[in-house]
Amino acid sequence: GVQTVARGAEEVRPNANMNGGPFKLPTKENADAAKKKREAIARIKKWVESRIPDKHIKDRTCVVDVSEIVCGDPECAPIDTAVRIIYEGKAEGPVGTAFAFPCQAVELTREALDERMPPGSTFEDWYEGKPTHWPPPPDDVTLRFELGARVECKVGKREWAPGAVTMHWFRQGDWPPGMFAPYQVQLDDGRLIFAPDDANGCIRAEGSGKGWCCFGG
């Protein structure tokens, strides 16, 4: 009979040269390291959840996420272990906190974690949808501008933009614990930014002065 050759696929022969390709078989050392990482992340998650009321976890109001992230800053640890505690919140959206440790998950101790965990009252606030900060903002600092105050922020080398103060002690979830910006400001041009310093070089009363820099947030 007539023999035909199938087109579009080729048989991989046992003696084919497999060296030098992009694929590498996992080593036992890498497999062991990956297993230890998974076990450490699961252990940390269990530690975090043990500090949260059971009902918050069981009814899925609260979600705990633990992961390792690569830090691109040459001045910091190459791997951070990040912990996120997120509640579904109410009308204002999700609430909770996030913080990181400058170490791999396998190196994190329960003692170090416990030092950074919020008190029970904060968990209850989040359960009710209240946007309670953790860590709390400074209580010994009086800010110059009230909520709603008309201000100008320095948004460029010689550029100022007018707006209104919408929040005191603004904080982004990925900032280190204890780090706050004194103000969040809604600019008249639609941008929502934060002022990192309560000084005239950064934020001033509308219609006055000279200065520093504000950032998007």
Side-chain angles (χ1 to χ4, degrees):
V2 178
Q3 293 184 339
T4 59
V5 178
R7 300 294 182 182
E10 294 185 5
E11 178 186 2
V12 177
R13 296 177 177 82
N15 61 350
N17 183 6
M18 300 293 287
N19 295 327
F23 176 75
K24 293 184 179 179
L25 292 173
T27 64
K28 184 178 185 303
E29 181 180 348
N30 290 341
D32 288 345
K35 180 182 178 182
K36 289 180 180 178
K37 173 182 172 180
R38 290 193 301 270
E39 291 173 345
I41 287 176
R43 181 169 61 249
I44 295 167
K45 184 176 180 179
K46 183 175 289 188
W47 289 344
V48 174
E49 290 180 343
S50 72
R51 297 287 299 271
I52 300 172
D54 287 343
K55 65 179 181 178
H56 299 190
I57 300 295
K58 289 179 179 179
D59 66 11
R60 299 180 182 272
T61 299
C62 174
V63 174
V64 175
D65 176 71
V66 180
S67 62
E68 286 188 349
I69 55 177
V70 177
C71 180
D73 186 344
E75 300 298 321
C76 73
I79 300 291
D80 287 349
T81 298
V83 175
R84 299 176 182 86
I85 304 172
I86 307 299
Y87 280 73
E88 63 181 15
K90 303 297 182 184
E92 296 183 4
V95 295
T97 189
F99 46 88
F101 300 85
C103 65
Q104 297 181 43
V106 295
E107 301 170 321
L108 183 60
T109 65
R110 180 155 192 170
E111 290 73 22
L113 177 70
D114 285 345
E115 289 178 357
R116 302 276 284 275
M117 291 293 290
S121 59
T122 300
F123 289 125
E124 293 300 337
D125 282 351
W126 291 337
Y127 190 70
E128 295 174 7
K130 298 177 182 177
T132 302
H133 284 299
W134 181 261
D139 59 4
D140 57 350
V141 177
T142 300
L143 298 179
R144 294 180 299 150
F145 301 110
E146 299 291 334
L147 293 177
R150 293 291 303 174
V151 296
E152 294 175 349
C153 284
K154 192 157 190 270
V155 294
K157 190 172 182 180
R158 297 183 179 179
E159 182 183 0
W160 291 79
V165 175
T166 58
M167 181 185 295
H168 286 161
W169 302 119
F170 171 77
R171 173 177 165 78
Q172 292 188 164
D174 57 350
W175 287 1
M179 181 177 178
F180 293 88
Y183 304 102
Q184 184 181 56
V185 179
Q186 178 71 63
L187 298 181
D188 293 351
D189 63 13
R191 286 179 291 172
L192 187 63
I193 67 172
F194 63 87
D197 190 18
D198 187 17
N200 279 333
C202 178
I203 182 171
R204 66 192 186 192
E206 189 173 32
S208 61
K210 292 189 176 180
W212 212 73
C213 236
C214 293
F215 303 95

